[in-house]
Amino acid sequence: MRLLERARKEWFMVGIVVAIGAAKLEPSVGVNGGPLKPEITVSYIAVATIFFNSGLSLKTEELTSALVHLKLHLFIQIFTLAFFPATIWLFLQLLSVTSINEWLLKGLQTVGCMPPPVSSAVILTKAVGGNEGIVVTPLLLLLFLGSSSSVPFTSIFSQLFVTVVVPLVIGQIVRRYIKDWLERKKPPFGAVSSSVLLMIIYTTFCDTFSNPHIDLDKFSLVLILFIIVSIQLSFMLLTFIFSTRNNSGFTPADTVAIIFCSTHKSLTLGIPMLKIVFAGHEHLSLISVPLLIYHPAQILLGSVLVPTIKSWMVSRQKGVKLTRPTV
């Protein structure tokens, strides 16, 4: 199962490159008003499909068991939806005086506003990336980048309700009636969401490549890549230090959950939400670039660090067992 999930993630990263390449070759197919009619098929149908799919796959019956980890849940919420975006905002005040493309910097801020992945294998990640992310993320985007959004506040939340909340709730209701069938057949929810997401990415970049006034310099792109990797490593180290203090009250297993849940950002939720909040914005694709970089970077970093983190966790757990008094 893990091999299948890893293969799907690798396929998806290749798919992102292919989608952007296809948009470069023939942007007229996916632009607004083009044959694909993305203003309807993407803005409404594709986004709603992703969240209906999430509603079907989200095991809310397991979320109640996550509530016993209230302190862990609260730490991840505060770090990912308060500390993370605020720190990025302060950092960007320094970067604003550099020659880095301003829309890539705004995209970096949107990364900070995103919740953790809804589809994470860790149930606590689902707990912190559900309804809170749907409500808080657009509020954070408007707080930090309000002047960049050309869509009225009421329109943003009405579309979020129609294309995100309603399909998610319907998916949960349907799940109640076909739960046994879903558990038995195990439909490929991840593959479906990834395929639809690639369509959204493709149409987003079609708009970019059809606009001759948009230019992305390679220097800015390389710097953003370096900054993103540095941010991820710094925040992972920071969460490790916070959660391993003597008086933190977190177990080694909690620390592992905190490291990944607090620093990972959801591409599945992020791209559709950017499509809604920045609908019609000519620089939407540039704003999306940092999130598109952050996603594979977090997977690659996670893959590299998992053996080390697992070894640390096992050794700490053994140490705890050895120090317990025998009865």
Side-chain angles (χ1 to χ4, degrees), residues 23-291:
K24 175 69 173 176
L25 289 173
E26 194 55 60
S28 60
V29 176
V31 296
N32 283 343
L36 284 181
K37 300 292 181 187
E39 62 272 19
I40 298 173
T41 57
V42 170
S43 297
Y44 292 93
I45 298 173
V47 175
T49 299
I50 285 177
F51 288 99
F52 174 73
N53 194 43
S54 294
L56 279 177
S57 61
L58 189 61
K59 299 179 180 180
T60 46
E61 60 270 19
E62 293 182 5
L63 295 183
T64 53
S65 64
L67 293 177
V68 298
H69 300 88
L70 186 59
K71 185 178 179 181
L72 178 61
H73 174 85
L74 189 61
F75 180 95
I76 294 172
Q77 282 280 37
I78 293 172
F79 190 94
T80 195
L81 294 175
F83 180 83
F84 202 126
T87 304
I88 294 295
W89 182 83
L90 290 172
F91 183 49
L92 292 183
Q93 303 313 299
L94 299 175
L95 292 179
S96 63
V97 299
T98 67
S99 60
I100 300 176
N101 185 290
E102 66 169 309
W103 298 105
L104 289 180
L105 292 180
K106 290 181 186 295
L108 204 56
Q109 183 65 71
T110 68
V111 171
C113 297
M114 294 300 157
V118 177
S119 59
S120 172
V122 184
I123 191 62
L124 284 166
T125 302
K126 288 185 177 179
V128 300
N131 294 331
E132 294 90 340
I134 292 170
V135 175
V136 175
T137 293
L139 287 174
L140 290 173
L141 289 172
L142 291 169
L143 173 65
F144 291 109
L145 299 166
S147 59
S148 300
S149 177
S150 58
V151 183
F153 182 86
T154 53
S155 297
I156 290 172
F157 277 90
S158 62
Q159 188 168 351
L160 281 172
F161 182 77
V162 171
T163 60
V164 177
V165 178
V166 171
L168 195 65
V169 171
I170 292 174
Q172 280 286 279
I173 293 172
V174 172
R175 177 180 173 80
R176 292 183 63 183
Y177 294 98
I178 62 170
K179 178 181 162 185
D180 292 339
W181 181 84
L182 291 173
E183 293 296 329
R184 190 169 63 252
K185 295 294 184 180
K186 300 187 183 304
F189 293 117
V192 172
S193 291
S194 295
S195 300
V196 176
L197 197 56
L198 288 175
M199 178 184 173
I200 296 175
I201 293 170
Y202 166 71
T203 57
T204 298
F205 278 86
C206 281
D207 286 332
T208 298
F209 294 127
S210 64
N211 189 338
H213 303 296
I214 294 179
D215 182 39
L216 176 61
D217 61 290
K218 294 178 181 177
F219 176 72
S220 292
L221 199 58
V222 171
L223 280 180
I224 287 293
L225 175 60
F226 174 76
I227 290 168
I228 284 173
V229 173
S230 300
I231 287 172
Q232 288 192 27
L233 287 173
S234 299
F235 280 2
M236 290 177 86
L237 178 61
L238 196 60
T239 53
F240 177 80
I241 293 171
F242 281 160
S243 59
T244 53
R245 291 178 304 166
N246 291 333
N247 59 347
S248 69
F250 293 122
T251 66
D254 290 340
T255 295
V256 173
I258 285 171
I259 289 172
F260 289 113
C261 294
S262 298
T263 59
H264 279 205
K265 296 294 183 176
S266 174
L267 185 69
T268 305
L269 177 60
I271 292 297
M273 196 160 289
L274 290 180
K275 194 80 174 176
I276 294 170
V277 176
F278 296 96
H281 201 292
E282 65 174 348
H283 293 98
L284 172 60
S285 60
L286 295 187
I287 295 172
S288 306
V289 165
L291 185 57

